[in-house]
Amino acid sequence: MKDAKLDDGGAPRQQTTARTKTMTTAQGGPIADDQNSLKAGPRGPVLLEDHIMREKIFHFDHERIPERVVHARGYGVHGHFELTEAIPELSCADIFQRVGEKTPTFTRFSTVAGNKGSFDLARDVRGFATKFYTQEGNWDLVGNNIPVFFIQDAIKFPDLIHSVKEAPDRGFPQAQSAHDNFWDFASLSPESVHMTLWQMSDRAIPRSFRFMEGFGVHTFRLVNAEGKSHYVKFHWKPRQGLQSVVWNEALKINGADPDFHRRDMWDAIDAGDFPKWDLGIQVFDDEFADAFEFDILDATKLIPEEQVPVRLIGTLTLDANVDNFFAETEQVAFCTQNIVRGIDHTNDPLLQGRNFSYLDTQIKRLGGPNFTHIPINAPKCPMHHFQQDGHMAMHNPRGRVNYEPNSWDAEPNPRENPKIGFESYAEPVEGTKQRVRSETFADHYSQARQFWISQTETEQRHIANGFTFELSKCQREDIRLRMLSHLMNVHDDLAQMVAEGLGVVDMPEAATPARAPITDLPPSDALSILKNGPKTFAGRKLGLFIADGADADQVAALEKAFKDEGAMVAIVTAQIFGATLSDGSTKPADEKIDGGPSVVFDAVALVMPKEEGETLALNKPAQDFVSDAFAHAKFIAYSDGAMPLFKATGIADKIDDGMLKLGDKSAKDFVKLCRGMRFWERETKMTG
Ligand code: HDE
């Protein structure tokens, strides 16, 4: 409604209705006019006395808090964890005791390198951090979507992050590792070679947060009521299956929809399609640890699932979007030190460093030690302690007792409780004080090779292309060659493919390994995305491009078949008002063609009469819709009328088994085809 006061400078403002509330200052004083500042006359200076304007602008000036130094761009969602298998024999953690019990959670997904306003589909590791509000305190599992890390010792973390983030002199490149500084650091730190293979793989360009795994990365401990400990690695297995996009697609998605991942999560939850992950544990003892080829304290190594199977013990369901992004997603503070009785740390030097870093960074980021008073961070179980005061103290104890021991018996007067209190695992520790790296951490290539040989050909091609792309962005040849010298120790095929991609004629000498790689580690299927893809098209999205005169039956059949599968369908047209179908009905559009390019869909269908196909053949966004879907190996259904568009984009004579002609085949046949996600065969016929 138009504001009367703005127009006539004094007429009464619109009446408040039962659903609106009187606007007030932060001090609670009702506000009569929020449009005009207090002035000395209509054209006179604004008066400093205007406490309403000053308060409003002062608050606005202080809206921002420092963004996270890493993982600045993220997206948080509420959910719950339900225990499906109790493990009292392994851990006395309260959360692991009663099958069927639900524990509330908050999960934040993130990219690592980009700033808060960067795009979602950067080639990057994704954070996967979950806070469990257990009845015995908060447990934060602060993991990533990749099970290994770049470095072995936390003291290298600032260097790693400085190298990948924008250069300090020029302030770019942003949200990407494709530059000299990162590859300089990586190639001078052979311990990061294994992780770079994961980072160059499609794991680093997930289709959605919903379709990726999560890993606690480090080895932790589970400790039972008798104080007995087992080692554990935590895994999140998505019920939705694994899926990624291709690199050329990622580049285009970032332009078409920089919020692609957060929008996907919001939309799925909003539609009631709640994503689920199973919590898996790999449990092992000292005997296994001693016999294992690598050091279980080395975060650049994983334990193949074939060697220690993943046991599923519970399910995480994400079922509610936040009410307020800042209050929840921005202010949530994960700390690896937040563990509960029954879970403990190990001597992994990366984990030990993290335990210092997270608490420290939260104090700066959230302005003081009372960030645990912010609702998203506060435990949901009772808590009593003598911590007091400080900035923004919200929970202030009553009464005179604020120290321990004391002889008062007034309530509340918290006391220690050895029966249920946290106890560190009684690990015998002894050693000489020295600044060293254990020799057991020295093998940097064997698991990189194992990762490589575990991939399908398509995935290997993508990894080699990833290295080629990134190293091609390095201006210094010596950096490119130094990285290549490491890849030569991983696998000849990889080194050759990258060398060819870069146009290297004289291969460098292979890097000298600190320890000879093991070359006979067997492949592990669990490391491949394509071997662990979804079995249905559920949760995916079809882009249905239609034009005036489109066959109403074909459109309806496609919509029905995909909805029955549990997939979403977005209608795309040349104009946002939609299209008039063959039966005279109007089909409203979800996207105009240039706002809904095929890169934001998992599969596409084109239904249009020939005349419209001819007009659209001259439309650049329509051409891109078709040629990108084809190049990105997507399944394509089409009516005859789309042929002029196919001709204009050069694919009319390349019709393949990933394309289905409606009429000859049904919408249901197309759904079946789409369950394969991509028609990878097509990719082998393309270069670049
Ligand atoms: Fe983090 N990391 N990290 N990290 N990390 C942060 O804490 C740090 C590491 C991870 O959604 C920071 O609250 C060090 C591994 C996630 O809010 C900071 C080291 C893994 C998130 C920090 C690591 C992670 C962070 C920045 C090397 C996977 C986002 C803001 C020893 C297991 C959490 C913050 C969220 C965030 C430090 C390495 C995961 C600075 C020193 C390995 C998912 O404290």
Side-chain angles (χ1 to χ4, degrees):
M1 189 190 282
K2 225 169 162 209
D3 193 317
K5 184 81 180 279
L6 281 177
D7 292 342
D8 65 13
R13 297 175 60 73
Q14 74 235 30
Q15 293 291 309
T16 53
T17 67
R19 289 177 56 236
T20 58
K21 296 203 171 109
T22 298
M23 178 185 273
T24 70
T25 62
Q27 302 292 337
I31 292 175
D33 179 351
D34 186 45
Q35 318 298 323
N36 301 294
S37 56
L38 189 66
K39 303 177 192 78
R43 302 182 58 248
V46 173
L47 300 177
L48 192 59
E49 175 192 324
D50 188 350
H51 68 284
I52 294 180
M53 183 190 77
R54 276 191 293 116
E55 184 201 71
K56 184 176 177 183
I57 291 192
F58 138 84
H59 197 279
F60 170 76
D61 291 344
H62 295 268
E63 273 178 12
R64 294 287 171 274
I65 60 172
E67 67 172 33
R68 289 166 176 81
V69 59
V70 281
H71 295 263
R73 183 168 177 82
Y75 205 61
V77 207
H78 295 273
H80 62 266
F81 172 74
E82 183 172 345
L83 192 71
T84 52
E85 201 191 312
I87 50 165
E89 74 288 2
L90 292 174
S91 169
C92 59
D94 188 69
I95 187 178
F96 295 142
Q97 304 309 307
R98 294 165 295 277
V99 167
E101 188 168 283
K102 291 182 179 169
T103 303
T105 58
F106 189 75
T107 298
R108 184 175 179 273
F109 300 101
S110 48
T111 51
V112 180
N115 293 345
K116 195 175 158 229
S118 53
F119 37 85
D120 278 349
L121 256 164
R123 178 183 287 284
D124 200 353
V125 181
R126 298 300 182 287
F128 189 143
T130 298
K131 192 181 281 295
F132 300 78
Y133 303 91
T134 87
Q135 290 178 31
E136 285 187 355
N138 288 352
W139 170 38
D140 293 356
L141 181 55
V142 197
N144 279 342
N145 74 330
I146 291 180
V148 290
F149 202 62
F150 294 100
I151 48 170
Q152 298 172 320
D153 189 318
I155 198 170
K156 296 309 300 165
F157 192 64
D159 301 296
L160 164 72
I161 298 305
H162 286 175
S163 81
V164 73
K165 283 216 168 213
E166 59 272 27
D169 55 353
R170 60 212 68 191
F172 61 84
Q174 154 82 234
Q176 52 198 296
S177 50
H179 53 92
D180 292 86
N181 280 11
F182 173 75
W183 288 105
D184 191 25
F185 177 86
S187 60
L188 290 170
S189 314
E191 70 205 69
S192 56
V193 167
H194 183 198
M195 178 71 167
T196 61
L197 261 86
W198 285 79
Q199 182 201 5
M200 293 306 108
S201 81
D202 295 344
R203 297 262 176 176
I205 42 172
R207 153 67 176 84
S208 152
F209 296 135
R210 295 182 292 141
F211 308 140
M212 59 186 208
E213 289 179 301
F215 303 91
V217 175
H218 313 278
T219 300
F220 291 88
R221 283 182 188 281
L222 292 176
V223 186
N224 70 14
E226 285 78 51
K228 186 167 169 28
S229 149
H230 285 85
Y231 293 114
V232 64
K233 293 254 187 200
F234 292 107
H235 294 242
W236 288 118
K237 297 270 182 197
R239 290 265 180 97
Q240 299 75 229
L242 296 181
Q243 194 190 335
S244 287
V245 299
V246 294
W247 177 236
N248 181 269
E249 190 183 6
L251 291 172
K252 290 172 178 169
I253 292 174
N254 285 329
D257 185 3
D259 305 311
F260 189 62
H261 283 159
R262 56 177 63 186
R263 190 189 307 281
D264 170 273
M265 183 59 83
W266 174 278
D267 286 351
I269 291 182
D270 209 38
D273 184 8
F274 303 142
K276 286 181 193 282
W277 283 259
D278 289 315
L279 178 67
I281 51 173
Q282 275 181 305
V283 180
F284 54 95
D285 54 15
D286 278 314
E287 206 182 317
F288 173 86
D290 293 342
F292 186 52
E293 292 92 339
F294 308 98
D295 197 320
I296 56 131
L297 300 181
D298 172 0
T300 66
K301 309 294 186 303
L302 52 85
I303 300 181
E305 295 187 22
E306 290 75 6
Q307 265 168 288
V308 178
V310 176
R311 178 172 162 193
L312 304 183
I313 58 164
T315 307
L316 173 73
T317 305
L318 301 183
D319 56 9
N321 282 315
V322 294
D323 287 327
N324 183 283
F325 182 84
F326 178 80
E328 298 158 70
T329 304
E330 275 308 279
Q331 293 200 121
V332 67
F334 295 97
C335 297
T336 51
Q337 61 164 45
N338 290 355
I339 47 170
V340 289
R341 193 174 68 106
I343 302 174
D344 209 346
H345 303 297
T346 57
N347 294 335
D348 174 343
L350 201 68
L351 176 59
Q352 302 263 332
R354 292 180 75 199
N355 288 338
F356 162 74
S357 176
Y358 288 68
L359 178 62
D360 182 45
T361 205
Q362 308 308 1
I363 290 173
K364 154 130 197 195
R365 196 168 69 78
L366 297 168
N370 288 320
F371 65 86
T372 52
H373 298 197
I374 300 171
I376 196 71
N377 295 320
K380 296 192 195 294
C381 62
M383 46 167 169
H384 309 285
H385 51 71
F386 290 129
Q387 294 169 21
Q388 67 172 35
D389 303 351
H391 285 292
M392 313 289 168
M394 298 292 155
H395 307 305
N396 300 301
R398 290 171 168 221
R400 75 184 286 177
V401 198
N402 60 352
Y403 58 90
E404 227 310 81
N406 69 67
S407 59
W408 299 91
D409 55 10
E411 287 285 324
N413 190 352
R415 303 287 189 194
E416 299 122 310
N417 182 344
K419 269 198 211 137
I420 61 162
F422 184 87
E423 276 203 36
S424 293
Y425 172 64
E427 181 186 3
V429 180
E430 179 186 328
T432 338
K433 207 188 278 179
Q434 50 191 169
R435 209 178 271 284
V436 287
R437 190 78 55 95
S438 169
E439 276 188 25
T440 51
F441 284 34
D443 179 344
H444 305 312
Y445 302 111
S446 305
Q447 282 207 343
R449 179 186 181 87
Q450 183 176 38
F451 180 74
W452 171 259
I453 59 170
S454 304
Q455 308 299 311
T456 61
E457 237 176 76
T458 300
E459 290 170 304
Q460 288 185 338
R461 194 169 55 245
H462 291 177
I463 294 170
N465 286 348
F467 274 109
T468 306
F469 177 91
E470 297 252 329
L471 294 175
S472 301
K473 285 275 186 184
C474 293
Q475 290 164 340
R476 276 180 43 188
E477 190 190 0
D478 58 329
I479 294 177
R480 297 198 289 262
L481 294 179
R482 199 193 300 138
M483 196 59 215
L484 193 56
S485 75
H486 290 295
L487 300 185
M488 292 166 76
N489 287 336
V490 176
H491 201 283
D492 282 346
D493 293 353
L494 171 63
Q496 280 308 325
M497 286 161 89
V498 176
E500 253 170 55
L502 294 173
V504 172
V505 183
D506 295 324
M507 287 298 268
E509 294 268 306
T512 312
R515 169 177 288 187
I518 310 170
T519 49
D520 60 356
L521 290 178
S524 161
D525 281 354
L527 304 182
S528 150
I529 298 175
L530 293 185
K531 294 177 193 166
N532 295 282
K535 304 208 166 23
T536 84
F537 199 70
R540 274 69 184 176
K541 205 168 187 181
L542 173 77
L544 177 46
F545 185 16
I546 59 171
D548 284 342
D551 185 318
D553 292 339
Q554 281 179 352
V555 172
L558 282 166
E559 278 192 301
K560 180 165 185 326
F562 279 81
K563 283 184 184 159
D564 287 350
E565 178 80 354
M568 285 175 277
V569 177
I571 302 290
V572 182
T573 56
Q575 270 132 14
I576 193 61
F577 279 106
T580 307
L581 303 185
S582 57
D583 63 358
S585 64
T586 306
K587 190 83 201 157
D590 297 298
E591 294 287 356
K592 178 175 178 312
I593 181 67
D594 42 0
S598 59
V599 291
V600 300
F601 306 117
D602 297 285
V604 298
L606 296 97
V607 183
M608 54 194 58
K610 200 154 175 223
E611 318 76 72
E612 292 295 325
E614 267 157 13
T615 313
L616 287 169
L618 306 171
N619 178 316
K620 177 69 176 135
Q623 290 178 2
D624 290 347
F625 188 93
V626 169
S627 60
D628 278 344
F630 186 82
H632 301 149
K634 285 182 183 162
F635 290 107
I636 304 174
Y638 61 98
S639 68
D640 223 9
M643 282 315 280
L645 202 42
F646 288 178
K647 276 196 192 117
T649 48
I651 62 171
D653 53 359
K654 298 196 185 95
I655 304 282
D656 57 33
D657 292 345
M659 301 172 77
L660 176 147
K661 188 162 159 197
L662 295 163
D664 295 356
K665 291 271 173 72
S666 72
K668 280 190 190 155
D669 293 329
F670 188 49
V671 171
K672 269 189 222 152
L673 208 55
C674 288
R675 288 181 191 148
M677 295 301 135
R678 298 287 163 111
F679 184 63
W680 294 119
E681 217 180 295
R682 189 185 298 145
E683 231 194 25
T684 56
K685 298 188 188 113
M686 312 192 73
T687 58

